[in-house]
Amino acid sequence: SLGVVRSAPEAMPQDYAGKFDVSEYYVAKPEDATKEFVMQQTMFRVKDPKRSLDFYTKVLGMKLITVGDFPQWGFTVFFVGYPPEKDLGPVPEKDEDKFAYCMKVPGCVELTWNHGSEAEEADRVYNTGNGDTTGSADGQKVRGGFGHIGITVPDVYAACQRFKDMGAEFHKSPNAGGMKGLAFVKDPDGYLVEILPLGKGFPFPTQETDCCGVSLSGGEGYADNSKK
């Protein structure tokens, strides 16, 4: 038995009243069988591989690590990320070695291009999971479960100024919203990327005015993007 507790079909929904005790999870020891597991990838379907690779490699500074081309099934995958080269060494030069190397790199993004999507008329063709109408059969907003990926940077405000200068679209600038010192930018397909300060605790470092001209006292409160 894996020891996973599943609710009985007749069990009533649990109301946590906004609080949940996680103390047991902090002290729980992982199963020995999982000690070498790695959180390796998140997959996004993208319309146009060029614009997506331009964003992830040039704007966010990730590396293209490996490519998998599957013409017989009509799709290609591109793995991008920040390989820890001090631990793993440089990305191999030979294509046949790149995939195995990539499978050791934590936190990659797998960009999946279904051939032909680049020719579709709409600028964005996939639902991002954040309460948008893209891809819904009835044109109504979807209550999405997926939220975002996130990267950490030494200086959120400097990074966001760079993103703005490169034409990135902001969902939230560092001083907007209720939580200050973090930001969200959109990739070309509308997926959210959170920008957080490297190695800093909350409350995060702030500046009086951010790249979009929003002051610390400006912006609105928290919004649940799944219901927008």
Side-chain angles (χ1 to χ4, degrees), residues 148 151 153 155-157 160 163 170-185 193-197 201-207 210-211 216 222 225:
H148 61 268
I151 66 170
V153 298
D155 185 326
V156 169
Y157 289 79
C160 287
F163 298 155
F170 281 84
H171 178 74
K172 175 197 177 303
S173 64
N175 285 347
M179 298 182 71
K180 310 299 182 181
L182 62 85
F184 286 90
V185 296
V193 182
E194 187 172 18
I195 314 301
L196 292 158
F202 191 80
F204 300 137
T206 57
Q207 293 182 13
D210 67 23
C211 60
L216 273 176
Y222 171 79
N225 289 325

PDB file of all heavy atoms in Angstrom, residues 148 151 153 155-157 160 163 170-185 193-197 201-207 210-211 216 222 225:
ATOM      1  N   HIS A 148       0.459  29.363 -12.753  1.00  0.00           N
ATOM      2  CA  HIS A 148       1.645  29.981 -13.336  1.00  0.00           C
ATOM      3  C   HIS A 148       2.876  29.146 -13.036  1.00  0.00           C
ATOM      4  O   HIS A 148       2.847  28.255 -12.190  1.00  0.00           O
ATOM      5  CB  HIS A 148       1.844  31.389 -12.759  1.00  0.00           C
ATOM      6  CG  HIS A 148       2.049  31.394 -11.268  1.00  0.00           C
ATOM      7  ND1 HIS A 148       1.004  31.531 -10.381  1.00  0.00           N
ATOM      8  CD2 HIS A 148       3.168  31.274 -10.491  1.00  0.00           C
ATOM      9  CE1 HIS A 148       1.468  31.497  -9.130  1.00  0.00           C
ATOM     10  NE2 HIS A 148       2.783  31.331  -9.184  1.00  0.00           N
ATOM     11  N   ILE A 151       9.965  32.230 -11.697  1.00  0.00           N
ATOM     12  CA  ILE A 151      11.427  32.275 -11.669  1.00  0.00           C
ATOM     13  C   ILE A 151      11.849  33.260 -10.582  1.00  0.00           C
ATOM     14  O   ILE A 151      11.085  34.147 -10.202  1.00  0.00           O
ATOM     15  CB  ILE A 151      12.031  32.695 -13.026  1.00  0.00           C
ATOM     16  CG1 ILE A 151      11.672  34.152 -13.369  1.00  0.00           C
ATOM     17  CG2 ILE A 151      11.597  31.744 -14.127  1.00  0.00           C
ATOM     18  CD1 ILE A 151      12.420  34.700 -14.571  1.00  0.00           C
ATOM     19  N   VAL A 153      14.853  36.060  -9.356  1.00  0.00           N
ATOM     20  CA  VAL A 153      15.874  36.949  -9.928  1.00  0.00           C
ATOM     21  C   VAL A 153      16.497  37.757  -8.800  1.00  0.00           C
ATOM     22  O   VAL A 153      15.870  37.977  -7.761  1.00  0.00           O
ATOM     23  CB  VAL A 153      15.247  37.896 -10.978  1.00  0.00           C
ATOM     24  CG1 VAL A 153      14.659  37.108 -12.141  1.00  0.00           C
ATOM     25  CG2 VAL A 153      14.173  38.783 -10.344  1.00  0.00           C
ATOM     26  N   ASP A 155      17.085  40.944  -8.564  1.00  0.00           N
ATOM     27  CA  ASP A 155      16.410  42.225  -8.358  1.00  0.00           C
ATOM     28  C   ASP A 155      15.155  42.247  -9.213  1.00  0.00           C
ATOM     29  O   ASP A 155      15.236  42.352 -10.450  1.00  0.00           O
ATOM     30  CB  ASP A 155      17.347  43.377  -8.734  1.00  0.00           C
ATOM     31  CG  ASP A 155      16.771  44.757  -8.447  1.00  0.00           C
ATOM     32  OD1 ASP A 155      15.547  44.937  -8.570  1.00  0.00           O
ATOM     33  OD2 ASP A 155      17.552  45.672  -8.112  1.00  0.00           O
ATOM     34  N   VAL A 156      14.000  42.127  -8.587  1.00  0.00           N
ATOM     35  CA  VAL A 156      12.731  42.068  -9.320  1.00  0.00           C
ATOM     36  C   VAL A 156      12.504  43.335 -10.142  1.00  0.00           C
ATOM     37  O   VAL A 156      12.078  43.277 -11.301  1.00  0.00           O
ATOM     38  CB  VAL A 156      11.555  41.838  -8.349  1.00  0.00           C
ATOM     39  CG1 VAL A 156      10.211  42.043  -9.045  1.00  0.00           C
ATOM     40  CG2 VAL A 156      11.627  40.425  -7.758  1.00  0.00           C
ATOM     41  N   TYR A 157      12.791  44.481  -9.550  1.00  0.00           N
ATOM     42  CA  TYR A 157      12.511  45.750 -10.230  1.00  0.00           C
ATOM     43  C   TYR A 157      13.412  45.941 -11.445  1.00  0.00           C
ATOM     44  O   TYR A 157      12.949  46.399 -12.507  1.00  0.00           O
ATOM     45  CB  TYR A 157      12.647  46.913  -9.240  1.00  0.00           C
ATOM     46  CG  TYR A 157      11.515  46.944  -8.231  1.00  0.00           C
ATOM     47  CD1 TYR A 157      11.514  46.089  -7.132  1.00  0.00           C
ATOM     48  CD2 TYR A 157      10.438  47.806  -8.395  1.00  0.00           C
ATOM     49  CE1 TYR A 157      10.477  46.103  -6.218  1.00  0.00           C
ATOM     50  CE2 TYR A 157       9.388  47.822  -7.481  1.00  0.00           C
ATOM     51  CZ  TYR A 157       9.411  46.963  -6.396  1.00  0.00           C
ATOM     52  OH  TYR A 157       8.367  46.970  -5.495  1.00  0.00           O
ATOM     53  N   CYS A 160      12.272  43.460 -14.165  1.00  0.00           N
ATOM     54  CA  CYS A 160      11.024  43.870 -14.797  1.00  0.00           C
ATOM     55  C   CYS A 160      11.221  45.070 -15.721  1.00  0.00           C
ATOM     56  O   CYS A 160      10.556  45.169 -16.754  1.00  0.00           O
ATOM     57  CB  CYS A 160       9.971  44.167 -13.738  1.00  0.00           C
ATOM     58  SG  CYS A 160       9.323  42.664 -12.948  1.00  0.00           S
ATOM     59  N   PHE A 163      12.435  43.461 -18.787  1.00  0.00           N
ATOM     60  CA  PHE A 163      11.334  42.799 -19.500  1.00  0.00           C
ATOM     61  C   PHE A 163      10.482  43.830 -20.236  1.00  0.00           C
ATOM     62  O   PHE A 163      10.081  43.619 -21.387  1.00  0.00           O
ATOM     63  CB  PHE A 163      10.462  42.008 -18.523  1.00  0.00           C
ATOM     64  CG  PHE A 163      11.173  40.900 -17.802  1.00  0.00           C
ATOM     65  CD1 PHE A 163      10.718  40.451 -16.565  1.00  0.00           C
ATOM     66  CD2 PHE A 163      12.302  40.296 -18.333  1.00  0.00           C
ATOM     67  CE1 PHE A 163      11.361  39.437 -15.887  1.00  0.00           C
ATOM     68  CE2 PHE A 163      12.962  39.270 -17.669  1.00  0.00           C
ATOM     69  CZ  PHE A 163      12.485  38.840 -16.435  1.00  0.00           C
ATOM     70  N   PHE A 170       2.849  42.720 -19.125  1.00  0.00           N
ATOM     71  CA  PHE A 170       2.703  42.512 -17.687  1.00  0.00           C
ATOM     72  C   PHE A 170       1.257  42.203 -17.327  1.00  0.00           C
ATOM     73  O   PHE A 170       0.326  42.865 -17.795  1.00  0.00           O
ATOM     74  CB  PHE A 170       3.153  43.757 -16.910  1.00  0.00           C
ATOM     75  CG  PHE A 170       4.643  43.877 -16.761  1.00  0.00           C
ATOM     76  CD1 PHE A 170       5.413  44.438 -17.767  1.00  0.00           C
ATOM     77  CD2 PHE A 170       5.284  43.396 -15.621  1.00  0.00           C
ATOM     78  CE1 PHE A 170       6.792  44.533 -17.648  1.00  0.00           C
ATOM     79  CE2 PHE A 170       6.663  43.488 -15.494  1.00  0.00           C
ATOM     80  CZ  PHE A 170       7.414  44.063 -16.510  1.00  0.00           C
ATOM     81  N   HIS A 171       1.101  41.207 -16.482  1.00  0.00           N
ATOM     82  CA  HIS A 171      -0.185  40.955 -15.835  1.00  0.00           C
ATOM     83  C   HIS A 171      -0.249  41.712 -14.518  1.00  0.00           C
ATOM     84  O   HIS A 171      -1.300  42.195 -14.128  1.00  0.00           O
ATOM     85  CB  HIS A 171      -0.356  39.457 -15.586  1.00  0.00           C
ATOM     86  CG  HIS A 171      -1.625  39.095 -14.876  1.00  0.00           C
ATOM     87  ND1 HIS A 171      -2.855  39.130 -15.492  1.00  0.00           N
ATOM     88  CD2 HIS A 171      -1.868  38.718 -13.590  1.00  0.00           C
ATOM     89  CE1 HIS A 171      -3.791  38.778 -14.639  1.00  0.00           C
ATOM     90  NE2 HIS A 171      -3.215  38.527 -13.471  1.00  0.00           N
ATOM     91  N   LYS A 172       0.910  41.806 -13.851  1.00  0.00           N
ATOM     92  CA  LYS A 172       1.045  42.558 -12.600  1.00  0.00           C
ATOM     93  C   LYS A 172       2.469  43.089 -12.520  1.00  0.00           C
ATOM     94  O   LYS A 172       3.417  42.312 -12.575  1.00  0.00           O
ATOM     95  CB  LYS A 172       0.754  41.674 -11.378  1.00  0.00           C
ATOM     96  CG  LYS A 172       0.997  42.353 -10.047  1.00  0.00           C
ATOM     97  CD  LYS A 172       1.099  41.330  -8.919  1.00  0.00           C
ATOM     98  CE  LYS A 172       1.422  41.946  -7.576  1.00  0.00           C
ATOM     99  NZ  LYS A 172       2.669  42.735  -7.557  1.00  0.00           N
ATOM    100  N   SER A 173       2.630  44.377 -12.406  1.00  0.00           N
ATOM    101  CA  SER A 173       3.955  44.948 -12.197  1.00  0.00           C
ATOM    102  C   SER A 173       4.303  44.854 -10.706  1.00  0.00           C
ATOM    103  O   SER A 173       3.431  44.566  -9.874  1.00  0.00           O
ATOM    104  CB  SER A 173       4.001  46.395 -12.682  1.00  0.00           C
ATOM    105  OG  SER A 173       3.132  47.218 -11.918  1.00  0.00           O
ATOM    106  N   PRO A 174       5.560  45.075 -10.329  1.00  0.00           N
ATOM    107  CA  PRO A 174       5.972  44.827  -8.935  1.00  0.00           C
ATOM    108  C   PRO A 174       5.174  45.565  -7.870  1.00  0.00           C
ATOM    109  O   PRO A 174       4.972  45.029  -6.769  1.00  0.00           O
ATOM    110  CB  PRO A 174       7.442  45.272  -8.930  1.00  0.00           C
ATOM    111  CG  PRO A 174       7.909  45.018 -10.325  1.00  0.00           C
ATOM    112  CD  PRO A 174       6.740  45.374 -11.188  1.00  0.00           C
ATOM    113  N   ASN A 175       4.703  46.769  -8.152  1.00  0.00           N
ATOM    114  CA  ASN A 175       3.967  47.528  -7.140  1.00  0.00           C
ATOM    115  C   ASN A 175       2.461  47.428  -7.280  1.00  0.00           C
ATOM    116  O   ASN A 175       1.715  47.959  -6.439  1.00  0.00           O
ATOM    117  CB  ASN A 175       4.371  49.005  -7.183  1.00  0.00           C
ATOM    118  CG  ASN A 175       5.735  49.244  -6.588  1.00  0.00           C
ATOM    119  OD1 ASN A 175       6.300  48.377  -5.929  1.00  0.00           O
ATOM    120  ND2 ASN A 175       6.293  50.423  -6.829  1.00  0.00           N
ATOM    121  N   ALA A 176       1.987  46.763  -8.320  1.00  0.00           N
ATOM    122  CA  ALA A 176       0.551  46.598  -8.505  1.00  0.00           C
ATOM    123  C   ALA A 176       0.033  45.499  -7.585  1.00  0.00           C
ATOM    124  O   ALA A 176       0.782  44.647  -7.115  1.00  0.00           O
ATOM    125  CB  ALA A 176       0.240  46.265  -9.960  1.00  0.00           C
ATOM    126  N   GLY A 177      -1.250  45.512  -7.320  1.00  0.00           N
ATOM    127  CA  GLY A 177      -1.854  44.469  -6.500  1.00  0.00           C
ATOM    128  C   GLY A 177      -1.528  44.606  -5.029  1.00  0.00           C
ATOM    129  O   GLY A 177      -0.853  45.537  -4.598  1.00  0.00           O
ATOM    130  N   GLY A 178      -2.014  43.652  -4.254  1.00  0.00           N
ATOM    131  CA  GLY A 178      -1.828  43.712  -2.815  1.00  0.00           C
ATOM    132  C   GLY A 178      -0.455  43.270  -2.347  1.00  0.00           C
ATOM    133  O   GLY A 178       0.043  43.747  -1.320  1.00  0.00           O
ATOM    134  N   MET A 179       0.188  42.372  -3.081  1.00  0.00           N
ATOM    135  CA  MET A 179       1.512  41.873  -2.704  1.00  0.00           C
ATOM    136  C   MET A 179       2.574  42.629  -3.489  1.00  0.00           C
ATOM    137  O   MET A 179       2.626  42.551  -4.721  1.00  0.00           O
ATOM    138  CB  MET A 179       1.617  40.366  -2.959  1.00  0.00           C
ATOM    139  CG  MET A 179       0.644  39.537  -2.145  1.00  0.00           C
ATOM    140  SD  MET A 179       0.829  37.743  -2.410  1.00  0.00           S
ATOM    141  CE  MET A 179       2.385  37.458  -1.600  1.00  0.00           C
ATOM    142  N   LYS A 180       3.409  43.365  -2.779  1.00  0.00           N
ATOM    143  CA  LYS A 180       4.398  44.214  -3.427  1.00  0.00           C
ATOM    144  C   LYS A 180       5.724  43.466  -3.581  1.00  0.00           C
ATOM    145  O   LYS A 180       6.069  42.595  -2.789  1.00  0.00           O
ATOM    146  CB  LYS A 180       4.615  45.490  -2.607  1.00  0.00           C
ATOM    147  CG  LYS A 180       3.338  46.224  -2.225  1.00  0.00           C
ATOM    148  CD  LYS A 180       2.556  46.693  -3.443  1.00  0.00           C
ATOM    149  CE  LYS A 180       1.318  47.471  -3.024  1.00  0.00           C
ATOM    150  NZ  LYS A 180       0.528  47.928  -4.176  1.00  0.00           N
ATOM    151  N   GLY A 181       6.490  43.845  -4.601  1.00  0.00           N
ATOM    152  CA  GLY A 181       7.816  43.287  -4.783  1.00  0.00           C
ATOM    153  C   GLY A 181       7.870  42.018  -5.599  1.00  0.00           C
ATOM    154  O   GLY A 181       8.926  41.398  -5.714  1.00  0.00           O
ATOM    155  N   LEU A 182       6.746  41.620  -6.191  1.00  0.00           N
ATOM    156  CA  LEU A 182       6.733  40.489  -7.121  1.00  0.00           C
ATOM    157  C   LEU A 182       5.914  40.898  -8.332  1.00  0.00           C
ATOM    158  O   LEU A 182       5.127  41.843  -8.280  1.00  0.00           O
ATOM    159  CB  LEU A 182       6.184  39.219  -6.472  1.00  0.00           C
ATOM    160  CG  LEU A 182       4.743  39.212  -5.968  1.00  0.00           C
ATOM    161  CD1 LEU A 182       3.747  38.878  -7.080  1.00  0.00           C
ATOM    162  CD2 LEU A 182       4.586  38.200  -4.839  1.00  0.00           C
ATOM    163  N   ALA A 183       6.111  40.183  -9.412  1.00  0.00           N
ATOM    164  CA  ALA A 183       5.435  40.560 -10.653  1.00  0.00           C
ATOM    165  C   ALA A 183       5.000  39.316 -11.417  1.00  0.00           C
ATOM    166  O   ALA A 183       5.439  38.196 -11.120  1.00  0.00           O
ATOM    167  CB  ALA A 183       6.357  41.418 -11.517  1.00  0.00           C
ATOM    168  N   PHE A 184       4.136  39.530 -12.398  1.00  0.00           N
ATOM    169  CA  PHE A 184       3.734  38.490 -13.333  1.00  0.00           C
ATOM    170  C   PHE A 184       3.832  39.045 -14.745  1.00  0.00           C
ATOM    171  O   PHE A 184       3.271  40.110 -15.046  1.00  0.00           O
ATOM    172  CB  PHE A 184       2.294  38.039 -13.087  1.00  0.00           C
ATOM    173  CG  PHE A 184       2.099  37.177 -11.876  1.00  0.00           C
ATOM    174  CD1 PHE A 184       1.822  37.758 -10.642  1.00  0.00           C
ATOM    175  CD2 PHE A 184       2.170  35.796 -11.962  1.00  0.00           C
ATOM    176  CE1 PHE A 184       1.633  36.975  -9.522  1.00  0.00           C
ATOM    177  CE2 PHE A 184       1.979  35.000 -10.841  1.00  0.00           C
ATOM    178  CZ  PHE A 184       1.714  35.596  -9.619  1.00  0.00           C
ATOM    179  N   VAL A 185       4.553  38.339 -15.607  1.00  0.00           N
ATOM    180  CA  VAL A 185       4.564  38.664 -17.025  1.00  0.00           C
ATOM    181  C   VAL A 185       3.897  37.527 -17.785  1.00  0.00           C
ATOM    182  O   VAL A 185       3.794  36.399 -17.278  1.00  0.00           O
ATOM    183  CB  VAL A 185       5.992  38.910 -17.563  1.00  0.00           C
ATOM    184  CG1 VAL A 185       6.618  40.123 -16.898  1.00  0.00           C
ATOM    185  CG2 VAL A 185       6.867  37.677 -17.366  1.00  0.00           C
ATOM    186  N   VAL A 193       4.081  34.007 -15.875  1.00  0.00           N
ATOM    187  CA  VAL A 193       5.377  33.717 -15.269  1.00  0.00           C
ATOM    188  C   VAL A 193       5.550  34.677 -14.094  1.00  0.00           C
ATOM    189  O   VAL A 193       5.571  35.901 -14.281  1.00  0.00           O
ATOM    190  CB  VAL A 193       6.535  33.902 -16.265  1.00  0.00           C
ATOM    191  CG1 VAL A 193       7.866  33.546 -15.593  1.00  0.00           C
ATOM    192  CG2 VAL A 193       6.325  33.041 -17.516  1.00  0.00           C
ATOM    193  N   GLU A 194       5.651  34.118 -12.887  1.00  0.00           N
ATOM    194  CA  GLU A 194       5.837  34.953 -11.710  1.00  0.00           C
ATOM    195  C   GLU A 194       7.317  35.297 -11.553  1.00  0.00           C
ATOM    196  O   GLU A 194       8.188  34.453 -11.757  1.00  0.00           O
ATOM    197  CB  GLU A 194       5.346  34.233 -10.455  1.00  0.00           C
ATOM    198  CG  GLU A 194       5.357  35.104  -9.205  1.00  0.00           C
ATOM    199  CD  GLU A 194       4.695  34.433  -8.011  1.00  0.00           C
ATOM    200  OE1 GLU A 194       4.529  33.189  -8.025  1.00  0.00           O
ATOM    201  OE2 GLU A 194       4.337  35.149  -7.059  1.00  0.00           O
ATOM    202  N   ILE A 195       7.590  36.537 -11.178  1.00  0.00           N
ATOM    203  CA  ILE A 195       8.959  37.018 -10.978  1.00  0.00           C
ATOM    204  C   ILE A 195       9.128  37.305  -9.494  1.00  0.00           C
ATOM    205  O   ILE A 195       8.475  38.203  -8.944  1.00  0.00           O
ATOM    206  CB  ILE A 195       9.248  38.288 -11.796  1.00  0.00           C
ATOM    207  CG1 ILE A 195       8.732  38.136 -13.256  1.00  0.00           C
ATOM    208  CG2 ILE A 195      10.725  38.599 -11.770  1.00  0.00           C
ATOM    209  CD1 ILE A 195       9.323  36.977 -14.018  1.00  0.00           C
ATOM    210  N   LEU A 196      10.007  36.546  -8.832  1.00  0.00           N
ATOM    211  CA  LEU A 196      10.191  36.635  -7.387  1.00  0.00           C
ATOM    212  C   LEU A 196      11.646  36.946  -7.052  1.00  0.00           C
ATOM    213  O   LEU A 196      12.554  36.619  -7.824  1.00  0.00           O
ATOM    214  CB  LEU A 196       9.803  35.309  -6.722  1.00  0.00           C
ATOM    215  CG  LEU A 196       8.319  34.939  -6.752  1.00  0.00           C
ATOM    216  CD1 LEU A 196       8.148  33.440  -6.571  1.00  0.00           C
ATOM    217  CD2 LEU A 196       7.564  35.694  -5.677  1.00  0.00           C
ATOM    218  N   PRO A 197      11.893  37.570  -5.879  1.00  0.00           N
ATOM    219  CA  PRO A 197      13.271  37.881  -5.491  1.00  0.00           C
ATOM    220  C   PRO A 197      14.026  36.650  -5.011  1.00  0.00           C
ATOM    221  O   PRO A 197      13.523  35.882  -4.180  1.00  0.00           O
ATOM    222  CB  PRO A 197      13.100  38.910  -4.371  1.00  0.00           C
ATOM    223  CG  PRO A 197      11.770  38.605  -3.777  1.00  0.00           C
ATOM    224  CD  PRO A 197      10.916  38.112  -4.909  1.00  0.00           C
ATOM    225  N   GLY A 201      12.868  36.644   1.874  1.00  0.00           N
ATOM    226  CA  GLY A 201      11.627  36.286   2.538  1.00  0.00           C
ATOM    227  C   GLY A 201      10.599  37.396   2.399  1.00  0.00           C
ATOM    228  O   GLY A 201      10.869  38.478   1.889  1.00  0.00           O
ATOM    229  N   PHE A 202       9.409  37.109   2.869  1.00  0.00           N
ATOM    230  CA  PHE A 202       8.318  38.073   2.800  1.00  0.00           C
ATOM    231  C   PHE A 202       8.283  38.912   4.071  1.00  0.00           C
ATOM    232  O   PHE A 202       8.498  38.372   5.150  1.00  0.00           O
ATOM    233  CB  PHE A 202       6.994  37.324   2.627  1.00  0.00           C
ATOM    234  CG  PHE A 202       5.839  38.203   2.281  1.00  0.00           C
ATOM    235  CD1 PHE A 202       5.652  38.638   0.983  1.00  0.00           C
ATOM    236  CD2 PHE A 202       4.943  38.609   3.262  1.00  0.00           C
ATOM    237  CE1 PHE A 202       4.585  39.461   0.665  1.00  0.00           C
ATOM    238  CE2 PHE A 202       3.875  39.427   2.949  1.00  0.00           C
ATOM    239  CZ  PHE A 202       3.694  39.851   1.643  1.00  0.00           C
ATOM    240  N   PRO A 203       8.062  40.223   4.021  1.00  0.00           N
ATOM    241  CA  PRO A 203       7.774  41.032   2.835  1.00  0.00           C
ATOM    242  C   PRO A 203       9.007  41.249   1.963  1.00  0.00           C
ATOM    243  O   PRO A 203      10.119  41.346   2.462  1.00  0.00           O
ATOM    244  CB  PRO A 203       7.292  42.363   3.431  1.00  0.00           C
ATOM    245  CG  PRO A 203       7.950  42.436   4.757  1.00  0.00           C
ATOM    246  CD  PRO A 203       8.020  41.019   5.265  1.00  0.00           C
ATOM    247  N   PHE A 204       8.767  41.321   0.658  1.00  0.00           N
ATOM    248  CA  PHE A 204       9.860  41.402  -0.301  1.00  0.00           C
ATOM    249  C   PHE A 204      10.423  42.824  -0.400  1.00  0.00           C
ATOM    250  O   PHE A 204       9.743  43.794  -0.074  1.00  0.00           O
ATOM    251  CB  PHE A 204       9.369  40.961  -1.680  1.00  0.00           C
ATOM    252  CG  PHE A 204       8.850  39.558  -1.727  1.00  0.00           C
ATOM    253  CD1 PHE A 204       7.693  39.257  -2.430  1.00  0.00           C
ATOM    254  CD2 PHE A 204       9.522  38.531  -1.077  1.00  0.00           C
ATOM    255  CE1 PHE A 204       7.216  37.952  -2.479  1.00  0.00           C
ATOM    256  CE2 PHE A 204       9.051  37.231  -1.122  1.00  0.00           C
ATOM    257  CZ  PHE A 204       7.889  36.943  -1.822  1.00  0.00           C
ATOM    258  N   PRO A 205      11.673  42.935  -0.871  1.00  0.00           N
ATOM    259  CA  PRO A 205      12.243  44.270  -1.120  1.00  0.00           C
ATOM    260  C   PRO A 205      11.395  45.042  -2.124  1.00  0.00           C
ATOM    261  O   PRO A 205      10.870  44.467  -3.082  1.00  0.00           O
ATOM    262  CB  PRO A 205      13.626  43.963  -1.687  1.00  0.00           C
ATOM    263  CG  PRO A 205      13.936  42.577  -1.221  1.00  0.00           C
ATOM    264  CD  PRO A 205      12.632  41.859  -1.174  1.00  0.00           C
ATOM    265  N   THR A 206      11.263  46.339  -1.908  1.00  0.00           N
ATOM    266  CA  THR A 206      10.437  47.157  -2.786  1.00  0.00           C
ATOM    267  C   THR A 206      11.169  48.432  -3.188  1.00  0.00           C
ATOM    268  O   THR A 206      12.176  48.809  -2.589  1.00  0.00           O
ATOM    269  CB  THR A 206       9.111  47.546  -2.102  1.00  0.00           C
ATOM    270  OG1 THR A 206       9.396  48.235  -0.876  1.00  0.00           O
ATOM    271  CG2 THR A 206       8.257  46.320  -1.802  1.00  0.00           C
ATOM    272  N   GLN A 207      10.631  49.077  -4.213  1.00  0.00           N
ATOM    273  CA  GLN A 207      11.055  50.413  -4.621  1.00  0.00           C
ATOM    274  C   GLN A 207       9.824  51.295  -4.717  1.00  0.00           C
ATOM    275  O   GLN A 207       8.703  50.792  -4.895  1.00  0.00           O
ATOM    276  CB  GLN A 207      11.783  50.367  -5.969  1.00  0.00           C
ATOM    277  CG  GLN A 207      13.116  49.646  -5.934  1.00  0.00           C
ATOM    278  CD  GLN A 207      13.823  49.654  -7.278  1.00  0.00           C
ATOM    279  OE1 GLN A 207      13.448  50.382  -8.186  1.00  0.00           O
ATOM    280  NE2 GLN A 207      14.846  48.826  -7.406  1.00  0.00           N
ATOM    281  N   ASP A 210       7.666  51.432  -9.803  1.00  0.00           N
ATOM    282  CA  ASP A 210       8.125  50.304 -10.614  1.00  0.00           C
ATOM    283  C   ASP A 210       8.209  50.682 -12.092  1.00  0.00           C
ATOM    284  O   ASP A 210       7.983  51.832 -12.475  1.00  0.00           O
ATOM    285  CB  ASP A 210       7.260  49.063 -10.383  1.00  0.00           C
ATOM    286  CG  ASP A 210       5.824  49.212 -10.903  1.00  0.00           C
ATOM    287  OD1 ASP A 210       5.583  50.039 -11.806  1.00  0.00           O
ATOM    288  OD2 ASP A 210       4.941  48.491 -10.401  1.00  0.00           O
ATOM    289  N   CYS A 211       8.536  49.706 -12.921  1.00  0.00           N
ATOM    290  CA  CYS A 211       8.783  49.945 -14.342  1.00  0.00           C
ATOM    291  C   CYS A 211       7.558  50.450 -15.093  1.00  0.00           C
ATOM    292  O   CYS A 211       7.684  51.036 -16.172  1.00  0.00           O
ATOM    293  CB  CYS A 211       9.290  48.661 -14.999  1.00  0.00           C
ATOM    294  SG  CYS A 211       8.133  47.273 -14.878  1.00  0.00           S
ATOM    295  N   LEU A 216       4.217  52.486  -4.716  1.00  0.00           N
ATOM    296  CA  LEU A 216       3.957  51.486  -3.683  1.00  0.00           C
ATOM    297  C   LEU A 216       2.550  51.581  -3.123  1.00  0.00           C
ATOM    298  O   LEU A 216       1.959  50.587  -2.708  1.00  0.00           O
ATOM    299  CB  LEU A 216       4.967  51.639  -2.528  1.00  0.00           C
ATOM    300  CG  LEU A 216       6.291  50.889  -2.677  1.00  0.00           C
ATOM    301  CD1 LEU A 216       7.211  51.222  -1.514  1.00  0.00           C
ATOM    302  CD2 LEU A 216       6.072  49.387  -2.767  1.00  0.00           C
ATOM    303  N   TYR A 222      -5.663  41.762  -3.935  1.00  0.00           N
ATOM    304  CA  TYR A 222      -5.524  40.424  -4.517  1.00  0.00           C
ATOM    305  C   TYR A 222      -6.750  40.069  -5.341  1.00  0.00           C
ATOM    306  O   TYR A 222      -7.883  40.377  -4.980  1.00  0.00           O
ATOM    307  CB  TYR A 222      -5.340  39.394  -3.404  1.00  0.00           C
ATOM    308  CG  TYR A 222      -5.409  37.959  -3.899  1.00  0.00           C
ATOM    309  CD1 TYR A 222      -4.325  37.361  -4.520  1.00  0.00           C
ATOM    310  CD2 TYR A 222      -6.584  37.219  -3.770  1.00  0.00           C
ATOM    311  CE1 TYR A 222      -4.382  36.063  -4.990  1.00  0.00           C
ATOM    312  CE2 TYR A 222      -6.657  35.911  -4.218  1.00  0.00           C
ATOM    313  CZ  TYR A 222      -5.547  35.348  -4.839  1.00  0.00           C
ATOM    314  OH  TYR A 222      -5.640  34.063  -5.297  1.00  0.00           O
ATOM    315  N   ASN A 225      -7.357  34.781 -10.011  1.00  0.00           N
ATOM    316  CA  ASN A 225      -7.324  34.731 -11.473  1.00  0.00           C
ATOM    317  C   ASN A 225      -8.127  33.573 -12.042  1.00  0.00           C
ATOM    318  O   ASN A 225      -8.486  33.584 -13.220  1.00  0.00           O
ATOM    319  CB  ASN A 225      -5.877  34.629 -11.951  1.00  0.00           C
ATOM    320  CG  ASN A 225      -5.104  35.921 -11.735  1.00  0.00           C
ATOM    321  OD1 ASN A 225      -5.653  37.002 -11.848  1.00  0.00           O
ATOM    322  ND2 ASN A 225      -3.831  35.796 -11.389  1.00  0.00           N
TER     323      ASN A 225
END
